[in-house]
Amino acid sequence: LEREGMDTSLPAIFIWEGVTMYLSEATVVDTLQKVAGHKSWYVAFDYIESSWAMSPTWRRAMSRVGEPFQFAMSKSDPEKLVASCGLKLLEHLRCEDELTSRYVPSIRGK
């Protein structure tokens, strides 16, 4: 980032959406650790749940289109991952509950 002109002494937020599932776990961890190395850097990221994403059906489907999933987490993994990388989890929204009720209330009959 510095090579491209970013002043790494300034606060920064990285929006990392739609990426982690296509990376190895080692790459995800390395990236989060790099963010953790700067006290005024933050990252917002999404992930896919391993309960469905790593099923044989989804693995075949994604491989067929040339974009195999490599990384997924269970519902409790994000807290552990973020802490192990030296970051603090500010908020963890899950699709089936918080995200749906917050951003798509009509689905819940509101």
Side-chain angles (χ1 to χ4, degrees):
L1 295 172
E2 288 174 311
R3 187 177 59 226
E4 296 300 322
M6 180 177 176
D7 183 347
T8 57
S9 68
L10 295 175
I13 184 164
F14 299 91
I15 309 300
W16 199 27
E17 294 179 327
V19 177
T20 61
M21 63 280 302
Y22 302 108
L23 304 175
S24 68
E25 182 174 356
T27 301
V28 171
V29 168
D30 182 59
T31 302
L32 293 175
Q33 288 172 338
K34 281 185 171 74
V35 171
H38 297 270
K39 63 180 179 180
S40 61
W41 284 14
Y42 300 87
V43 61
F45 68 96
D46 62 355
Y47 67 94
I48 53 174
E49 273 198 41
S50 54
S51 61
W52 63 268
M54 295 307 185
S55 71
T57 302
W58 271 104
R59 290 180 73 85
R60 275 192 308 274
M62 295 310 294
S63 290
R64 224 177 289 131
V65 298
E67 296 183 357
F69 292 147
Q70 296 184 47
F71 178 76
M73 293 188 276
S74 71
K75 292 178 185 181
S76 62
D77 289 343
E79 288 87 353
K80 295 174 198 166
L81 174 68
V82 166
S84 75
C85 292
L87 292 167
K88 179 182 174 187
L89 184 67
L90 299 178
E91 191 169 22
H92 180 196
L93 300 176
R94 293 172 186 87
C95 187
E96 72 275 8
D97 40 61
E98 288 101 337
L99 285 174
T100 300
S101 64
R102 184 179 290 191
Y103 298 109
V104 194
S106 61
I107 289 177
R108 298 266 170 125
K110 294 181 182 177

